[in-house]
Amino acid sequence: MDRVLTNVNMVTLAGDDGYQVINDAMIGIQDGVIVYAGHKEHFDCHGHPDVMDCQGALVTPGLIDCHTHLVFAGNRASEFEQRLNGVPYEQIAKAGGGILSTVRATREASEETLFRLASERLHGLKNEGVTTVEIKSGYGLTLDDELKMLRVARRIGEMPDINVSTTLLAAHALPPEYSDDPDRYIQFICDEILPAAAQENLADAVDVFCEGIGFSTQQCQRVFHAAQKHGLAIKGHTEQLSNLGGSTMAARMGALSVDHIEYLDNEGVAALAACGTVATLLPGAFYFLRENQMPPIDQLRELNVPMAIATDFNPGTSPIASIRTMMNMACTLFRMTPQECLQGVTTNAAQALGMGGLRGQIREGMQADLAIWTVSHPAELSYRIGVPDLKARVVNGELFIHQHSER
Ligand code: NIG
Ligand code: FE
């Protein structure tokens, strides 16, 4: 065994319900994988070289941010100001601002610059216990620029202290070059961008923005068919600002997750339940756009649809690189419980990335991704914001210390 953690209060989340806490536990790790997670009396740690006494610290699975747009250049603070002067988001988008203003800045930026900017943004997430992050393209919208963004995301994934899942989001907005013919851009995605991303193994999944200011349900379906032809998983930004039926279409095609879903109706919820699709809630965008249409939390609960929570970190609708703020907002804005929030950033977030059997729980056979906290109850993780509660993270069995002082 390479590493043993002793004296751990372990929140395993390895069960259908509840935190699944094991007190006074031990965790054994070998080759980056958890090989023992249970009561200490069943385990003899004598002779193991790397024993870490966690002194009763609470240990959870490493947190997973399953929806981000971490790679981009520039910022949209001036649009933020415009919106506060009364101009709506959709109007800014139609006037060539919004997503397209970030597209211009991102096309101009080098891979090196994008890598530096994204790495900096990741700091906040790591300091809050995140060990896996999903990163989308979608601000390039040309073959070269979409691949550039994905290469940056892959490069971030080469760092030893973070796992990255990459998603091609070429169908994010209509690039100006195709403004007279959206279908031709969809064709270009299916025929050129998607095959190239698949060929270079740059994307783990393919995403779309199914919305009036994005693409129609039919156009999104074409992108999904092409993705599946190349063996890539699918997911969607759906039902964020209106109900176009994108979630139902995505779920029926086997999407891993549908994200935002404020306008999802009962039929849509039933489709998610029937197809095993995760509902990813993005309270940061809800908050930042001052939406008042609530996602259908009660119906999702009733039909046992797994709910994930993510930052949706992006320059337009959620410039908030804090997973714990999202957990708190999911409680205060969506009335979710702290337990649902922790499940939403661990086991359900893993499922939203197709990593359900690999990450997001503490149990034997899972990758050793852990967050070691100074808190005494897991509800504290959703309750408090901005306090350095993280002691250390373990990523694929390797230890990264965040706090040296005794708290
Ligand atoms: O997830 N909904 C579409 N895409 C992003 C917003 C991107 C932007 O405004 O730059 C989102 O909210
Ligand atoms: Fe998003």
Side-chain angles (χ1 to χ4, degrees):
M1 223 169 285
D2 307 327
R3 188 178 301 282
V4 177
L5 307 188
T6 62
N7 207 353
V8 165
N9 289 324
M10 189 163 74
V11 183
T12 70
L13 295 162
D16 289 339
D17 207 12
Y19 289 120
Q20 305 275 343
V21 178
I22 304 179
N23 289 312
D24 211 359
M26 300 189 55
I27 302 173
I29 298 167
Q30 175 132 34
D31 298 326
V33 175
I34 298 171
V35 291
Y36 180 82
H39 290 287
K40 69 167 180 207
E41 50 269 25
H42 301 140
F43 184 85
D44 180 10
C45 70
H46 288 298
H48 288 296
D50 207 336
V51 177
M52 177 181 173
D53 183 350
C54 291
Q55 300 168 330
L58 195 90
V59 176
T60 66
L63 307 190
I64 299 173
D65 189 351
C66 67
H67 180 142
T68 85
H69 307 248
L70 209 63
V71 175
F72 61 86
N75 73 70
R76 305 234 292 274
S78 64
E79 283 179 18
F80 179 56
E81 188 140 34
Q82 261 179 285
R83 284 204 286 116
L84 284 163
N85 282 304
V87 190
Y89 178 63
E90 278 158 296
Q91 193 179 319
I92 293 172
K94 280 186 192 134
I99 294 174
L100 289 182
S101 84
T102 302
V103 168
R104 285 189 290 275
T106 304
R107 285 180 179 178
E108 274 169 28
S110 68
E111 223 172 282
E112 215 41 54
T113 302
L114 292 172
F115 177 77
R116 177 179 53 78
L117 291 170
S119 313
E120 284 166 10
R121 294 170 188 139
L122 204 52
H123 273 301
L125 293 175
K126 290 178 183 173
N127 282 326
E128 291 186 335
V130 171
T131 54
T132 298
V133 67
E134 183 259 15
I135 303 177
K136 300 178 196 295
S137 68
Y139 292 120
L141 313 184
T142 65
L143 173 65
D144 287 349
D145 292 305
E146 285 295 298
L147 298 187
K148 172 175 78 176
M149 289 186 71
L150 291 174
R151 273 189 211 108
V152 170
R154 277 281 189 250
R155 235 180 102 191
I156 290 171
E158 285 164 16
M159 296 184 198
D161 71 334
I162 193 80
N163 304 302
V164 171
S165 175
T166 61
T167 304
L168 174 70
L169 177 58
H172 193 198
L174 188 63
E177 300 80 13
Y178 288 86
S179 58
D180 56 340
D181 197 351
D183 283 328
R184 204 162 55 84
Y185 180 58
I186 293 293
Q187 199 63 46
F188 179 64
I189 294 175
C190 297
D191 293 348
E192 306 286 337
I193 305 184
L194 209 151
Q199 163 85 29
E200 280 193 52
N201 189 26
L202 287 174
D204 299 315
V206 172
D207 196 344
V208 297
F209 185 23
C210 186
E211 191 57 67
I213 56 167
F215 297 93
S216 72
T217 307
Q218 226 178 14
Q219 289 167 332
C220 294
Q221 193 168 24
R222 283 173 62 197
V223 174
F224 285 162
H225 277 301
Q228 289 180 331
K229 217 174 77 191
H230 290 276
L232 297 174
I234 58 168
K235 48 177 54 235
H237 286 70
T238 52
E239 270 71 65
Q240 180 187 11
L241 306 168
S242 61
N243 183 353
L244 297 187
S247 305
T248 301
M249 178 276 289
R252 290 194 180 138
M253 285 191 72
L256 289 174
S257 72
V258 290
D259 303 29
H260 288 290
I261 60 164
E262 280 85 345
Y263 284 81
L264 189 66
D265 58 17
N266 286 345
E267 187 200 331
V269 176
L272 303 197
C275 303
T277 300
V278 174
T280 298
L281 305 167
L282 306 172
F286 177 90
Y287 155 84
F288 203 74
L289 294 177
R290 303 186 74 230
E291 293 293 336
N292 35 44
Q293 171 78 27
M294 285 272 279
I297 304 289
D298 287 340
Q299 289 90 323
L300 292 166
R301 266 192 200 123
E302 212 169 293
L303 296 192
N304 282 319
V305 176
M307 292 184 274
I309 296 167
T311 60
D312 192 17
F313 183 82
N314 77 73
T317 66
S318 189
I320 308 168
S322 167
I323 194 79
R324 289 193 52 194
T325 304
M326 298 304 139
M327 294 164 78
N328 181 270
M329 282 185 186
C331 295
T332 55
L333 301 176
F334 296 164
R335 311 310 290 160
M336 290 174 72
T337 66
Q339 186 192 296
E340 287 174 322
C341 291
L342 190 57
Q343 281 165 333
V345 297
T346 54
T347 175
N348 294 347
Q351 199 182 325
L353 297 179
M355 295 176 172
L358 196 65
R359 306 185 195 278
Q361 296 177 347
I362 305 180
R363 66 176 159 87
E364 284 145 37
M366 288 275 187
Q367 283 300 116
D369 291 345
L370 307 168
I372 305 172
W373 307 94
T374 54
V375 310
S376 46
H377 190 279
E380 288 174 57
L381 300 175
S382 296
Y383 154 80
R384 192 162 46 234
I385 307 173
V387 175
D389 290 321
L390 184 74
K391 250 170 143 55
R393 292 177 307 142
V394 175
V395 186
N396 297 308
E398 234 186 290
L399 180 69
F400 300 90
I401 305 282
H402 286 256
Q403 191 187 100
H404 292 273
S405 63
E406 295 296 319
R407 274 186 75 226

